[in-house]
Amino acid sequence: MDVGFDMAEARQNKIDRTLKPHGLTPTQGAANANVALLESFEIGQSGIEETRTVWGLTESNGDGAYKTSMMNYSFICFNGLRPKSYDQTIVLIERRDFALPHFLLTRREIFHWLEKIFKIPTITFLESETFNKMYQLKAEDEIAVRALFRPTVCIVLEQHPGLTIEGHDQQLIIFRERILLDSSDWPAFLKEARELADLLAS
């Protein structure tokens, strides 16, 4: 008996039961096709290509105007000579009413001063000191992104620490880096992600 396979199947069944009341059902497909869901995002290009894996994928059965996908995503990077695994639970939201400028919001790291050395463009908000301490926001079109991250959006995000959010065009992903959620926590995170997507769409 393949105990590993049985445990993985049990985890998947638990995810399926947990999310079915929220309109998400399991999606079967080739692993590389599932990984392709994230390839237009920074995290989808991270790590060693052969190690990128999507598992536990569930998707909504909408009419195409609003589609939600939820998944676990893993990849491996090398830190010096040692492999380092990154595992996180991700929500991907696609909406026809989105017209998002490309942006990447991440938690502010301890060594954020390195941005100055490498001249990484970061947007700060004079009226949102707490937001600036919690997050770093990078974007190509600063004017459009400032309009998107109005003060009310920054205030709400201050109440949701540790997020990574990347958006472009009609797509948005939300996750907490290296946080792999238990299936029992998926509904709460799904609700959190959908509410933030509504906020950015309003």
Side-chain angles (χ1 to χ4, degrees):
M1 179 182 294
D2 189 335
V3 177
F5 177 80
D6 288 344
M7 291 180 65
E9 186 176 26
R11 285 196 299 267
Q12 181 64 61
N13 290 337
K14 187 178 179 182
I15 289 171
D16 298 344
R17 292 194 304 271
T18 301
L19 292 181
K20 188 175 181 180
H22 301 273
L24 272 67
T25 55
T27 298
Q28 302 298 325
N32 59 345
N34 293 340
V35 169
L37 289 170
L38 300 174
E39 66 182 4
S40 65
F41 298 95
E42 183 173 288
I43 194 170
Q45 301 297 320
S46 300
I48 302 168
E49 183 176 359
E50 293 77 13
T51 67
R52 299 170 191 160
T53 306
V54 165
W55 45 286
L57 177 64
T58 62
E59 297 181 300
S60 62
N61 296 320
D63 59 2
Y66 190 130
K67 182 179 179 182
T68 305
S69 304
M70 197 165 184
M71 69 202 81
N72 291 319
Y73 179 61
S74 304
F75 60 88
I76 293 174
C77 292
F78 276 95
N79 183 7
L81 297 177
R82 295 185 177 182
K84 187 176 182 181
S85 179
Y86 287 79
D87 311 288
Q88 44 270 306
T89 302
I90 295 177
V91 175
L92 166 63
I93 295 176
E94 302 174 76
R95 294 175 57 148
R96 287 184 180 175
D97 61 345
F98 272 161
L100 299 171
H102 184 214
F103 69 87
L104 176 62
L105 179 79
T106 61
R107 69 179 189 270
R108 186 163 290 280
E109 303 293 349
I110 295 174
F111 299 111
H112 61 271
W113 52 267
L114 285 172
E115 299 166 24
K116 297 179 181 179
I117 297 176
F118 294 105
K119 298 181 180 179
I120 300 172
T122 300
I123 300 172
T124 58
F125 300 88
L126 296 177
E127 68 279 12
S128 302
E129 184 177 349
T130 300
F131 178 87
N132 294 334
K133 290 179 179 179
M134 292 176 62
Y135 286 110
Q136 56 185 4
L137 177 62
K138 304 173 186 177
E140 299 160 3
D141 187 341
E142 181 174 343
I143 294 175
V145 170
R146 282 189 178 278
L148 181 66
F149 282 80
R150 56 201 184 277
T152 52
V153 171
C154 292
I155 290 171
V156 171
L157 285 169
E158 290 169 8
Q159 301 166 19
H160 297 265
L163 289 172
T164 294
I165 305 177
E166 185 175 359
H168 59 76
D169 302 321
Q170 296 182 333
Q171 293 187 313
L172 184 78
I173 61 169
I174 301 175
F175 62 97
R176 287 182 170 89
E177 184 180 328
R178 301 194 75 183
I179 300 296
L180 194 66
L181 297 176
D182 184 84
S183 59
S184 61
D185 296 321
W186 279 38
F189 185 54
L190 177 63
K191 181 176 182 290
E192 180 182 20
R194 283 175 165 169
E195 288 176 350
L196 291 171
D198 288 341
L199 180 67
L200 290 171
S202 61

